[in-house]
Amino acid sequence: MGIVIKSHYEIALMRQAGRIVALTLAKLASSVRVGMKTKELDTIAGEEIRKHGAIPSFLGYRGFPANICVSVNDEIVHGIPGDRVLKEGDLVSLDVGAIYKGFQGDGATTVGIGRVSPGLLELMEATKGALDEGIKAARDGAHLGDVSFAIGQYAEKKGFSVVREYSGHGIGTNLHEDPQVPNMGVRGQGMVLRRGMTLAIEPMVNTGTWRTRVAPNMWTVLTADGGISAHFEHTIAIRENGADILTAL
Ligand code: MG
């Protein structure tokens, strides 16, 4: 599939989907606590998404068995909610997708459970900061490599490693569209971004190695060395004057 340029009308619908994602992430962040099972978060998310007239994007996507992804500590992305009980000091990455009137929104945040170590707070700040830098670089006429460079450079300068085997992506009527949006890159390389393009930008940042492995369930992606990982994501539209965040409240 090539790059799809969206009309203002299509972007408006994507903003509706994105707002439902943002509301759901806010609901999850305010609900999560010590002693909760990750499947309880999945139930809350499913109810919230449907309450707003949307459908969870991930449920059934290539056979994914839950409404959302919940990835704890050394789990990077694609964690399956279940009976795991959250403990004080855990980092929990919550990834939510919603389909509204045929359009997708995709967003993620990482939250700490109770009191989190200073090093992990730094990891979360660095990952969120890397996302912000990527969004700032995503403007009409910029190269895709400018976005990737901004993300990777920021996180590495903070002393963390950036996952290379999983990327952001174009998004629209499909959850994953062209182009891929890597979290590491070279300025001035890659395609030129144009207004009307819609992208999900999603740095995944680790305390240890950037290398990954996949769990026996064939879904959950973990750090290869057991280091801790954080993940933040927004869906954005490229506009005349920069990026417009669609997964914001
Ligand atoms: Mg995504």
Side-chain angles (χ1 to χ4, degrees):
M1 184 198 304
I3 307 298
V4 183
I5 299 294
K6 278 79 174 182
S7 67
H8 287 279
Y9 175 69
E10 290 169 316
I11 291 172
L13 289 174
M14 288 185 69
R15 188 188 307 283
Q16 293 298 311
R19 180 173 165 77
I20 294 165
V21 168
L23 287 167
T24 303
L25 286 169
K27 174 96 179 177
L28 291 170
S30 66
S31 306
V32 69
R33 60 191 134 66
V34 173
M36 195 177 233
K37 288 182 178 176
T38 56
K39 69 183 180 188
E40 294 176 65
L41 294 168
D42 189 69
T43 301
I44 291 167
E47 285 171 359
E48 186 71 18
I49 292 166
R50 291 189 175 88
K51 188 175 97 183
H52 297 288
I55 299 166
S57 306
F58 304 159
L59 182 64
Y61 183 82
R62 297 187 181 171
F64 188 76
N67 294 312
I68 61 167
C69 300
V70 181
S71 307
V72 183
N73 294 340
D74 61 335
E75 298 172 350
I76 302 169
V77 286
H78 306 164
I80 301 174
D83 289 318
R84 182 171 184 158
V85 176
L86 298 174
K87 314 185 305 294
E88 180 90 17
D90 282 346
L91 279 206
V92 183
S93 297
L94 304 158
D95 195 347
V96 172
I99 309 169
Y100 184 75
K101 296 189 176 173
F103 285 87
Q104 300 271 353
D106 189 4
T109 192
T110 298
V111 296
I113 306 300
R115 189 177 295 187
V116 169
S117 73
L120 294 188
L121 290 175
E122 279 175 35
L123 173 70
M124 286 195 285
E125 286 298 315
T127 312
K128 177 73 169 60
L131 173 59
D132 294 341
E133 291 301 309
I135 291 170
K136 267 191 254 171
R139 57 182 70 226
D140 188 72
H143 287 263
L144 192 54
D146 301 345
V147 176
S148 302
F149 173 83
I151 296 168
Q153 158 101 343
Y154 184 90
E156 288 197 332
K157 274 195 172 161
K158 298 286 179 183
F160 298 106
S161 72
V162 180
V163 172
R164 300 161 194 212
E165 293 152 342
Y166 299 85
S167 296
H169 48 92
I171 179 170
T173 53
N174 296 293
L175 180 59
H176 295 115
E177 297 184 352
D178 287 338
Q180 277 202 53
V181 184
N183 292 311
M184 301 273 285
V186 177
R187 271 188 286 208
Q189 290 197 354
M191 66 176 298
V192 175
L193 301 177
R194 292 297 178 207
R195 64 188 79 174
M197 289 182 184
T198 46
L199 306 172
I201 300 181
E202 50 175 324
M204 292 148 260
V205 179
N206 302 347
T207 57
T209 180
W210 54 267
R211 292 178 189 280
T212 69
R213 67 184 179 91
V214 177
N217 68 20
M218 297 303 284
W219 275 109
T220 312
V221 179
L222 299 113
T223 60
D225 61 357
I228 306 300
S229 190
H231 178 212
F232 285 83
E233 177 178 26
H234 273 307
T235 296
I236 64 155
I238 310 289
R239 299 284 210 175
E240 292 70 14
N241 303 312
D244 183 3
I245 300 176
L246 302 180
T247 40
L249 286 178

